[in-house]
Amino acid sequence: MLVVAQDDPLRIIIIGAHPDDCEGNGGTAALWVEMGHKVKFVSVTNGDAGHQDIGGGALARIRHAEAMEAGKILGVEYEILDNHDAELMPTLENRKQIIRLIREWNADVVISHRPNDYHPDHRYTGILVQDAAYLVIVPNIVPDCPPLKKNPVFLYAQDHFQKPNPFSPDIVVGIDEVIDKKIESFAAHESQVFEWIPWTYGGLDDVPEGREARMEMLKAQYQPRITPQIREALIRWYGQVAGSKIKYAEAFEICEFGSYPDEEDILRLFPMIKK
Ligand SMILES: [Zn+2]
């Protein structure tokens, strides 16, 4: 397999709604980074609503620091936009901001939420990114920022929502060798994974003390199980032997509005897949 030369690295931008959403793709991100490619995480909101005791600017500052730590663990650049949490709308102004970010990163690959997610911020982030696909090459849109020469490949990150259509694992990446790094990047979001999220389901008292037990909790909660469809996709991409053994994976669905990659393109953009 040909690995893309390090002096011409791939450029990937992952756009999530909240500080801690991009980390769901943290395994694939870490593998790209280890191979010399450039990955940027963007949180479209500042996360200032996600806690039971703290809020506003004080919470946004905590979450900014947590995100920077997570970015350091994975080796990615991290930017947080100053939009309020739980108030994001798919406005023209926000669309232009997303177009600018994708262009400035000169992205080959753009990853975001599907627009049929449970959280309105996830849905509208998905819409904003989808709306930027194609427009990133149009010179008359955001004319002070040079357009991309080629429409990137746009992908949706994995989710479990079924309606109106379930997620389709078009591309799947085995992440066994970086699972601990991914879990550590989640653990950096302490205010979320050990405080706010357990509080939302009444599990705050069950969060264990001690780093090891907490890591085990996160590994069980934050890594989606390998469904029969994901296993099938792993075997398709890695072959029967390797594909059957992989324990942890991240999957992506191709968005039809970007450049549509064929198998050769996918293997070039995902050089960690060893077919
Ligand atoms: Zn989120």
Side-chain angles (χ1 to χ4, degrees), residues 50-215:
H51 203 272
Q52 69 278 27
D53 301 322
I54 326 160
L59 179 57
R61 277 189 291 281
I62 291 170
R63 298 197 63 181
H64 188 275
E66 291 173 342
M68 294 308 128
E69 180 59 27
K72 221 186 291 171
I73 291 164
L74 296 171
V76 305
E77 197 170 301
Y78 214 128
E79 182 172 348
I80 296 179
L81 306 184
D82 205 17
N83 296 306
H84 286 302
D85 189 353
E87 294 185 2
L88 186 71
M89 294 298 286
T91 61
L92 185 55
E93 192 195 349
N94 287 338
R95 185 200 290 169
K96 287 180 176 176
Q97 199 174 15
I98 298 293
I99 290 171
R100 196 179 287 280
L101 278 164
I102 296 169
R103 285 180 178 175
E104 284 170 350
W105 191 248
N106 193 17
D108 299 294
V109 178
V110 183
I111 302 173
S112 191
H113 305 283
R114 288 200 303 156
N116 57 320
D117 197 287
Y118 82 104
H119 197 298
D121 290 348
H122 295 187
R123 285 201 295 278
Y124 296 141
T125 297
I127 292 283
L128 286 164
V129 173
Q130 242 181 224
D131 287 354
Y134 173 66
L135 293 184
V136 292
I137 65 164
V138 178
N140 275 324
I141 306 298
V142 195
D144 62 319
C145 183
L148 293 182
K149 293 192 179 74
K150 188 177 184 284
N151 202 8
V153 170
F154 284 75
L155 303 172
Y156 301 114
Q158 187 179 349
D159 63 52
H160 57 269
F161 301 103
Q162 300 294 310
K163 292 173 184 173
N165 56 298
F167 173 82
S168 161
D170 299 324
I171 302 168
V172 65
V173 176
I175 59 157
D176 288 1
E177 58 267 57
V178 287
I179 183 66
D180 289 337
K181 218 184 234 193
K182 175 178 183 177
I183 295 305
E184 270 177 44
S185 78
F186 272 121
H189 294 277
E190 215 175 314
S191 72
Q192 303 302 295
V193 298
F194 302 129
E195 297 170 13
W196 167 238
I197 297 162
W199 184 89
T200 62
Y201 60 82
L204 198 52
D205 293 339
D206 302 326
V207 174
E209 292 296 330
R211 190 177 153 78
E212 214 169 298
R214 287 185 162 202
M215 291 299 159

Side-chain angles (χ1 to χ4, degrees), residues 18 20-21 122:
H18 307 112
D20 78 346
D21 285 332
H122 295 187

